[in-house]
Amino acid sequence: MAKQYDVIVIGAGPGGMTAALYASRANLSVLLLDRGIYGGQMNNTAAIENYPGFSSILGPDLAENMYKGATQFGAEYAYGSVEKVEDKGTVKIVTTDTETYETKAVVVATGSEYRKLGVPGEDSYGGRGVSYCAVCDGAFFKGREVVVVGGGDSAIEEGLYLTQLASKVTVIHRRDQLRAQKIIQDRAFANDKMNFVWNSNVQEVLGDDMKVTGVRVLNNQTGEEQTIEASGVFIYVGILPKTEQFSGLGITNEDGWIETNDQMETSVPGIYAIGDVRAKDLRQITTAVGDGGVAGQQVFKYIEALNSDLAKTN
């Protein structure tokens, strides 16, 4: 027989762990599922300086603290790569690569991932100069020169944010004009700290084995190569939601993001979505935690009503 729970939380990042905390504290049986170690992207963050209560904390340390809180009221944790979720009305079937579970409610907290350039040095200098979040890491580059890769809204908005911290921001774009909204472009072109390299692709992230020192760039029109010195490389070439296994539920939009209301409810009763997997603007640890708290409370209300209806029919 399939193992049964009141709620299964898929994804053990900050949002998922918070949802598990709230649901288990409400005396629900909770399974927290993840295909890797708990903590999500926090485990790849050297220092977190924008989480309330800490002036600075290592990402893995914050993940460990959250995990202890998430499991203190009986929530279980298991490894598993979720292959599909089936909606059977009052029962949901969650199938992983090793197990099948039955649950009354599901909280999707699988997050998103940044689209990568796929060039040498990008992975090896991750957390050592390569970043995908200016709000998260910009403070580490005060007074230094940085590079932003991309030409859309996110790239230019984050580039403008970085001008408040860095001494110079060089935007590298593969085309000869930006894709960002005109009002954002106007602000960027008017900013003395912003510099633009057009029709160019980053070929390699350079470093000294300890930290980033620059990028090697190829002009896709002339074939000319150049090296741009920089202490940080901020990459904005797209964000991808991790929602492939939920496509059959009809809860994702055309871009793959899960849409919810303010109670984190999807269009399917009993299925909730939180954190970076949601269609929203700001993706931070704090916003994921907030989503998780709301979802944990709403799951309790949903199951309470479900049990009351079942009692009446019996």
Side-chain angles (χ1 to χ4, degrees):
M1 290 182 62
K3 296 180 180 179
Q4 299 179 341
Y5 293 89
D6 289 324
V7 56
I8 291 178
V9 180
I10 304 173
M17 289 192 284
T18 304
L21 166 62
Y22 272 69
S24 60
R25 193 169 182 268
N27 206 32
L28 299 178
S29 59
V30 179
L31 177 65
L32 185 60
L33 269 176
D34 202 295
R35 61 185 179 185
I37 189 171
Y38 50 82
Q41 294 181 18
M42 289 190 294
N43 290 309
N44 300 319
T45 306
I48 295 169
E49 297 183 327
N50 59 353
Y51 190 77
F54 301 94
S55 57
S56 179
I57 184 171
L58 296 177
D61 289 348
L62 183 56
E64 185 67 29
N65 289 342
M66 285 188 176
Y67 178 73
K68 290 177 181 177
T71 55
Q72 65 179 316
F73 297 106
E76 299 177 23
Y77 178 75
Y79 288 103
S81 180
V82 174
E83 297 178 343
K84 65 177 178 177
V85 175
E86 300 171 85
D87 175 33
K88 303 294 184 181
T90 57
V91 173
K92 321 296 180 189
I93 308 299
V94 178
T95 303
T96 73
D97 52 347
T98 58
E99 296 277 355
T100 298
Y101 304 94
E102 289 186 6
T103 183
K104 297 173 182 176
V106 171
V107 178
V108 179
T110 46
S112 61
E113 57 188 355
Y114 295 101
R115 190 191 301 273
K116 293 188 175 182
L117 296 174
V119 300
E122 181 177 11
D123 288 338
S124 58
Y125 286 105
R128 295 189 294 160
V130 173
S131 174
Y132 304 86
C133 179
V135 175
C136 307
D137 300 326
F140 296 113
F141 300 93
K142 288 181 179 178
R144 300 181 183 181
E145 296 186 9
V146 300
V147 160
V148 170
V149 184
D153 287 352
S154 294
I156 306 309
E157 286 178 337
E158 299 292 85
L160 286 166
Y161 174 84
L162 287 166
T163 61
Q164 303 174 66
L165 303 163
S167 61
K168 180 181 179 182
V169 177
T170 299
V171 176
I172 301 171
H173 188 40
R174 60 181 178 174
R175 298 188 175 94
D176 60 359
Q177 58 184 357
L178 301 175
R179 293 180 292 108
Q181 298 176 56
K182 188 176 185 305
I183 188 171
I184 301 173
Q185 292 190 40
D186 291 344
R187 291 172 186 161
F189 293 141
N191 193 309
D192 292 339
K193 286 189 176 182
M194 296 282 275
N195 182 54
F196 298 87
V197 176
W198 305 107
N199 295 320
S200 296
N201 300 84
V202 173
Q203 300 296 295
E204 182 180 5
V205 176
L206 306 173
D208 59 7
D209 293 333
M210 296 294 293
K211 62 185 183 304
V212 165
T213 59
V215 291
R216 181 169 57 85
V217 173
L218 174 70
N219 186 296
N220 54 45
Q221 300 297 309
T222 66
E224 180 185 357
E225 282 193 350
Q226 66 171 310
T227 296
I228 300 173
E229 294 184 359
S231 297
V233 180
F234 291 82
I235 301 169
Y236 298 99
V237 292
I239 304 176
L240 304 173
K242 299 178 182 178
T243 56
E244 300 90 347
Q245 61 271 59
F246 312 113
S247 58
L249 293 171
I251 61 175
T252 58
N253 63 21
E254 60 183 10
D255 295 318
W257 302 99
I258 299 178
E259 296 185 335
T260 73
N261 59 17
D262 291 344
Q263 283 71 51
M264 308 302 141
E265 297 168 324
T266 69
S267 57
V268 177
I271 297 183
Y272 302 77
I274 62 175
D276 290 4
V277 78
R278 291 178 60 220
K280 62 177 186 177
D281 293 327
L282 186 62
R283 293 181 171 87
Q284 295 281 283
I285 297 173
T286 50
T287 58
V289 166
D291 289 356
V294 172
Q297 179 66 13
Q298 293 303 316
V299 163
F300 169 73
K301 292 180 179 179
Y302 170 79
I303 292 178
E304 193 176 46
L306 194 64
N307 290 340
S308 177
D309 290 342
L310 289 174
K312 290 177 182 177
T313 57
N314 294 332

